[in-house]
Structure formats: structure tokens, C-alpha cells
Amino acid sequence: MRTPAFSTYPETLQADLARLRAWCASSAAHDLEAEGPAQALAPATIRVRETCIRLLLWALIETGTPQAEITSLRCLVDRATAARALKFHRERLGAQRSGHLSGLADAVQLLLAFYRVDGEASAVMRKMLAKLRPAAQREIREEVAQTLDALSEPGRRARLLAMPQALMREARALRDGVDPLTRGQRAPDTDRAVWLAGIAVAIEIELHLPLRVLDLSHLRLGETIALTEARRGRWEARIRVQTSKTGRLVEARLDGESAGLVREYVEHFRPLARQAGTAWLFPSRDHADRPRAAHHFSEAIAREVLRLVGVRVTAHGFRSFVACMILEHDPQAWTDVSAVLGHTSLLTGQGHYVRIHRLAAAERLSAGLRRQRKQLERVAPPPLPRTPGRPGPRRPS
């Protein structure tokens, strides 16, 4: 599916888009009378909204409006026009409600705010948009719950936690031309070695600071990640990221074996990458001055986890896994979950990971029952009282 680029629309619409971009990137929180959102939208959010607007404009073309006649974004806040574009996508997707339709609805709602549509017109539009949004997610999805259950098995969890070092050993063998099974010589595979070493470091970072894959792929040496010698022979890797989705600051410090893993990758593997001259921690293999594509990077991580652990875990899946580990250690550590994951509110973690808390509570209850029963085994149980009006047990004849 190829949609027309914004540059192919009339100049007046392109001017509208430029004003919308500036408006989204500004903040009017300091001035109650100024136009603009209360809080500037993150660049990633702006890109998503623009993609949705482009899809909506394409829907108008597909349903009969000549492209040359689409001269302003204001057409998307007209109820009939917006409904036509949204119905087109609803039929194309074959769903009444979905995340994709919700994104399109969010784009229309953004334009309502941009053009300051209020009153009855705004209320009618918002009721229409609400029909496209799926019910709010109250807990983690069933497939995520199944993944967490699989990773609670000790063997799988041990393999996952040991994965970074296992991948790095495999990367060394590929770089040096050593068969990992027979220890015999073979042709070196530098590209594969750099690829695996990068995934090893990515997983180690995710276990300490579970970033969304866009933030993970955009780590830059000397900026969002810095490798320093804290003391003689002891290195630290400091990570400090303003998340693309919420704008929250998250940070972590890796030392010991974890920092050693990062250092080995930076000093001995990354220089062998095809695009090693950039500041990206994980440079693209095919494009100068680009990081690894976020989606492909996440899929590569998932493939390696499936190969070595037997469970599919994407980069985003590490967020749920780390939240699970935190709450297993301390069931009340919601502030830790919020700080590590970069949530804007404690309620986000409490809503999404309530299942983990629920299972942990049930396990604590079961453990308490087992302790009580063990303690009371040494105490003779009191005789059961007779029920009035009923004969006692018969004596054997």
C-alpha cells in the first residue's frame, strides 16, 4: 500500500501541515491564553499522527475526492468527510474497533484541537471517534501472560539471563573463525559476529533498563550511553534516555560483567561493522549514519531468544519480564516498576501488571497455608463436635 506523499498535495495543505507540526512541538502550558497543546508532543508521536493523517487523506482520494481538491487539513474536521475516510479504513481493516482505527481517531481528535473546534460540533465528532477505539486495556494481553508463565520455569529463566554471555561467546567464535561445536577452524563470519554481539549487548541493556525498541535502537555513544573507567580496571556503562513515548527520563548504570560486555562490543566488535563511523551504538548494516531499524532489531532479538530459550520475547517483551521480576522480589514495588519503565503514572503499572501482583498474592497465601499446616502437624487436632440430634459414630460389632 503506497499512499501519496504530502509533497504531492496542494501547497496550501503543505502549509497547514507545517503549522500543525510547529503547534504539536510547542507547549502553551506557561500561557493560559496561548494556542498550542498543554504539553509538546514527542517527536515519535508527531510522526505517528502524520502517518495517520496521510492515511486519512488517501482514503478521501480512494472514495472519490480528487487530490487537487484537498487543499487543507481542515476537511478532516468536517463530520461527513471524516466519517467517509474512517469508514473506508474500517472496511479495509475488517474491524469495528482496533488499535489502527484508534490511531486514526487520535489524528482527527488532534486536528479538532488544532483548529479549535468546540461546542456541539466537537461533541458529535468525539462520540463518533469513540466508536473506533477498543476498550481500554486493563491487564496484560493473554499472549504476554503465557510468555511470562513460560519464563517462570527455572530452566528457561536461567537460559534467558545467561543469553548475553552465550551470544557473546558465539560471536567471538564467528569472528575468530572457530567452530563452536568442534572447536575446529572455519572461515570467519564478521557480519554475523557483529550482529550477534550487538544483540547480546541489547539484551543485557534490556534486562537492566527495558527500553522501548525505538529508544534502544537510537542509543548513541557519548550521548545516551557512556562507557567510562570508574576505577582502575573497573568500567561502568551509564545509560540516560528521555523516552520517545512519554518524555520521561530513565537511566541505569551497568558495572562488573555487564559493563565488560558493553566494552567488549564497543572496542572489539563494533569497529568491524560496515557503518562503524557513526555514533549509533547499533549502526545500520546498509545505511550510513542510521541506527538499526527498530522493527527488524526487535524481530532479530525475538529470533535469538526463541533459538536459545524456546520462548519468543521481543524487545518490548522485556518490559513485562522485568516488571515481573521486580514484583516477584517486592510485591509492593510499583514505584520501581514506574521508574524503570518510564511510566508517567503509578496507575499504568498497577493496571497492566495487576496479574503479576494477583498471582504473587495467591502464592504468598498458599505458602502461608503450607507453613501453618506444617506447624500444626505437631498439635493434636481437637475432636469434631457432634451435631445435636444426630447419633455418634457406630462402634464396630
Side-chain angles (χ1 to χ4, degrees), residues 241-250 338-339 341-345:
V241 176
Q242 187 171 12
T243 59
S244 57
K245 182 175 181 179
T246 65
R248 291 289 299 273
L249 184 67
V250 293
S338 178
L341 299 188
H343 290 156
T344 55
S345 168

Side-chain angles (χ1 to χ4, degrees), residues 191 195 273-275 283-293 296:
D191 281 349
W195 183 255
R274 297 181 189 178
Q275 310 294 341
S284 168
R285 289 191 293 189
D286 304 316
H287 302 281
D289 201 28
R290 282 193 201 175
R292 287 189 183 180
H296 297 301

